Amino acid sequence: MAIGPRLRTDIVVIGAGQAGLSTAWHLAQRGLAPVRQYLVFDQEGGPGGAWQHRWPSLTLRTINRLHDLPGLAFQDALGLPSDTETVRARDAVPRYFAEYERRFGLPVYRPVVVSQVERHETGFLLRTDRGEVSARGLVNATGTWTRPNIPVVPGAEDFGGRTLHTRDYENAEAFRDQHVIIVGAGISALQLLDEISQVTRTTWVTRRVPEFREGPFDDVAGSKAVKLVDERVRAGLPPRSVVSVTGLPVTPAVERMRAQGVLERRPMFSRITSTGVAWDDGTTLDADVILWCTGFRSALDHLDALDLREPGGGIVMGGRLATRVERDHRIHLVGYGPSASTIGANRAGRAAADELLAALAESA
């Protein structure tokens, strides 16, 4: 897409994952004209957001729940069989997103990389690899996939084995006959621990003692979890993921791993050696691979020039669903904090569209 000399629009949505597409749909439903009044930039080469990069063994049965985008049910869009055990998420979800964009004629332009956003005249100037774009309002929906979180541990540069992150994982066979240390206490860590432990030796390491959730995760529990994350971002604290406060579900795989001793967790090591890891008590452990399943950070570097962060690194959020940046009501973050889950992203898209349009009307 050629943007120059400088394209003008009312609202730019950055990111075409669940949160970005939901926001775009709600803007379209309110009668905004594509391109002239709103458009979407996505840095990926095709539809699907981060889903197109997930590991092959992640199926629709094993993902941590996928909610329908507004206006089009997943099943209706793809006509999938009732048994989705073998349907790969990185195939099906991009197909769904592609159909969604096509069905509603959403103005998604890709690949477009937004390198920096600055305040300019009555709105914002977006510098991209395709040219400059000016807009009155901004919805950021860039998620976290491009910002893997790997803790800084002394000695990491000396390790003679392989160091990987969740986003680098392809399949368990790649680790056969190797000792793999898996670090992390989230759902992805458990999924990869389950797969890899079936083909080779594993050691599970976590910074905190994992909390397992017995029984069903109902709407009441979900609301409480979202509320905790919501309170953090409204206070200007860096968000924790919704999953991090819900606890780990006890699935058949978890029960099997418990019985096999796979879940005999060890505390976080204090340093990395040339052959493995070591703890402060002098204990050492040799390993071939350290796999960091330690989550991601919000991809917001392109917004640094807007000076949105508090001294502690968080951003004070407000609005009905905590999508509005309190330092500038013309900016909304969706897929951030309490809207990081797929159901949260859907709801956030509607709130962001309504509140941003109201703010732009007041400033007109």
Side-chain angles (χ1 to χ4, degrees), residues 15-22 42 48-50 69 97 141:
Q18 187 98 11
L21 292 181
S22 173
D42 185 34
L69 282 160
F97 283 11

Short mmCIF file of all heavy atoms in Angstrom, two decimals, residues 15-22 42 48-50 69 97 141:
data_model
loop_
_atom_site.label_atom_id
_atom_site.label_comp_id
_atom_site.label_asym_id
_atom_site.label_seq_id
_atom_site.Cartn_x
_atom_site.Cartn_y
_atom_site.Cartn_z
N GLY A 15 -2.92 -2.93 14.58
CA GLY A 15 -3.01 -4.34 14.94
C GLY A 15 -4.32 -4.96 14.48
O GLY A 15 -5.39 -4.37 14.67
N ALA A 16 -4.24 -6.13 13.86
CA ALA A 16 -5.44 -6.80 13.33
C ALA A 16 -5.61 -8.18 13.93
O ALA A 16 -5.98 -9.13 13.24
CB ALA A 16 -5.39 -6.87 11.81
N GLY A 17 -5.35 -8.30 15.24
CA GLY A 17 -5.68 -9.52 15.95
C GLY A 17 -7.11 -9.43 16.45
O GLY A 17 -7.93 -8.66 15.93
N GLN A 18 -7.44 -10.22 17.47
CA GLN A 18 -8.81 -10.25 18.00
C GLN A 18 -9.29 -8.86 18.42
O GLN A 18 -10.38 -8.43 18.07
CB GLN A 18 -8.88 -11.21 19.18
CG GLN A 18 -10.28 -11.46 19.72
CD GLN A 18 -10.90 -12.72 19.20
OE1 GLN A 18 -10.22 -13.54 18.59
NE2 GLN A 18 -12.17 -12.92 19.46
N ALA A 19 -8.47 -8.15 19.19
CA ALA A 19 -8.86 -6.84 19.69
C ALA A 19 -8.99 -5.81 18.57
O ALA A 19 -9.93 -5.01 18.55
CB ALA A 19 -7.86 -6.36 20.74
N GLY A 20 -8.05 -5.81 17.63
CA GLY A 20 -8.10 -4.85 16.55
C GLY A 20 -9.27 -5.06 15.62
O GLY A 20 -9.94 -4.10 15.20
N LEU A 21 -9.54 -6.31 15.28
CA LEU A 21 -10.67 -6.60 14.39
C LEU A 21 -12.00 -6.30 15.06
O LEU A 21 -12.94 -5.80 14.42
CB LEU A 21 -10.63 -8.07 13.95
CG LEU A 21 -9.48 -8.46 13.02
CD1 LEU A 21 -9.58 -9.92 12.63
CD2 LEU A 21 -9.46 -7.57 11.76
N SER A 22 -12.10 -6.59 16.36
CA SER A 22 -13.33 -6.27 17.08
C SER A 22 -13.58 -4.76 17.07
O SER A 22 -14.70 -4.30 16.81
CB SER A 22 -13.22 -6.78 18.52
OG SER A 22 -14.33 -6.34 19.28
N ASP A 42 -1.66 -3.50 10.00
CA ASP A 42 -1.21 -4.76 10.58
C ASP A 42 0.18 -5.07 10.03
O ASP A 42 0.39 -5.04 8.81
CB ASP A 42 -2.19 -5.89 10.22
CG ASP A 42 -1.84 -7.19 10.90
OD1 ASP A 42 -1.34 -7.16 12.04
OD2 ASP A 42 -2.05 -8.26 10.28
N GLY A 48 -4.56 -13.18 10.79
CA GLY A 48 -4.37 -14.19 11.83
C GLY A 48 -3.64 -13.70 13.06
O GLY A 48 -3.60 -14.40 14.07
N GLY A 49 -3.04 -12.51 12.99
CA GLY A 49 -2.31 -12.02 14.14
C GLY A 49 -1.26 -13.01 14.61
O GLY A 49 -0.65 -13.72 13.83
N ALA A 50 -1.08 -13.10 15.92
CA ALA A 50 -0.08 -14.01 16.49
C ALA A 50 -0.44 -15.47 16.33
O ALA A 50 0.43 -16.34 16.41
CB ALA A 50 0.11 -13.68 17.97
N LEU A 69 -15.59 -13.54 17.26
CA LEU A 69 -15.59 -12.11 17.02
C LEU A 69 -17.03 -11.64 16.85
O LEU A 69 -17.91 -12.42 16.45
CB LEU A 69 -14.78 -11.79 15.76
CG LEU A 69 -13.26 -11.81 15.92
CD1 LEU A 69 -12.58 -11.98 14.57
CD2 LEU A 69 -12.79 -10.53 16.60
N PHE A 97 -10.05 -15.20 10.72
CA PHE A 97 -9.81 -13.77 10.66
C PHE A 97 -9.87 -13.25 9.22
O PHE A 97 -10.38 -12.16 8.96
CB PHE A 97 -8.43 -13.45 11.25
CG PHE A 97 -8.38 -13.47 12.76
CD1 PHE A 97 -9.43 -13.97 13.51
CD2 PHE A 97 -7.28 -12.99 13.44
CE1 PHE A 97 -9.39 -14.00 14.90
CE2 PHE A 97 -7.22 -13.00 14.82
CZ PHE A 97 -8.28 -13.51 15.56
N ALA A 141 -3.72 -1.97 19.29
CA ALA A 141 -4.11 -3.36 19.52
C ALA A 141 -2.97 -4.29 19.10
O ALA A 141 -3.18 -5.29 18.40
CB ALA A 141 -5.38 -3.69 18.74
#
